[in-house]
Amino acid sequence: MLYVDSSILVGLCTKETKSPAINKWYENSRDLQLISSTWMFTEFASALSIKERTGQITPKESKSAWKIFEAICNNDIELLPIDNKVFYSAGLLVLDSSSKLRSGDALHLAAAKFFKAKAIITLDKVLEKNASRLKIKTITI
């Protein structure tokens, strides 16, 4: 199981610098079991909203990205529900200020650990560093 961070799906569904590399990875990941948590819905929607408010994408592009996201979630990635223990674990991760984790990233990291993911794929360097600290293999693009 490979846990997918929202930074990957944002880059897959919108145009970003790393989008070509993410698309190539995605095309080559068909044989992998891709998972994430249901937190992905909220975080992905927030990312689209921020991009729209800051003029990075148009409302039409946002709607298109959401449709792509929904298709990916329906066909290629399993979004698993988050247990209360995961929220607690994420809280402990952000409580350590030296981790520099934000709450959403801590939630992804705690979920990946809880789901016993073999690795996590992310564009986020802070998340990557903390995953390594927790002995979770990271895949970067």
Side-chain angles (χ1 to χ4, degrees), residues 101-117:
L101 280 167
R102 294 171 295 178
S103 58
D105 291 336
L107 192 53
H108 278 304
L109 193 52
K113 190 168 177 77
F114 181 80
F115 299 141
K116 296 179 176 42

Side-chain angles (χ1 to χ4, degrees), residues 61-78:
E61 290 168 326
S62 180
K63 286 181 182 142
S64 175
W66 183 259
K67 285 182 182 179
I68 295 167
F69 169 75
E70 286 184 318
I72 291 169
C73 292
N74 286 328
N75 299 306
D76 299 329
I77 185 168
E78 184 178 6

Side-chain angles (χ1 to χ4, degrees), residues 45-99:
S46 175
L48 289 183
S49 181
I50 289 167
K51 283 181 168 290
E52 192 175 327
R53 286 192 314 265
T54 58
Q56 296 175 57
I57 61 174
T58 66
K60 184 178 179 181
E61 290 168 326
S62 180
K63 286 181 182 142
S64 175
W66 183 259
K67 285 182 182 179
I68 295 167
F69 169 75
E70 286 184 318
I72 291 169
C73 292
N74 286 328
N75 299 306
D76 299 329
I77 185 168
E78 184 178 6
L79 299 184
L80 303 171
I82 301 174
D83 188 276
N84 285 339
K85 294 175 199 170
V86 176
F87 286 99
Y88 180 77
S89 295
L92 293 178
L93 289 171
V94 295
L95 197 57
D96 175 4
S97 64
S98 68
S99 74

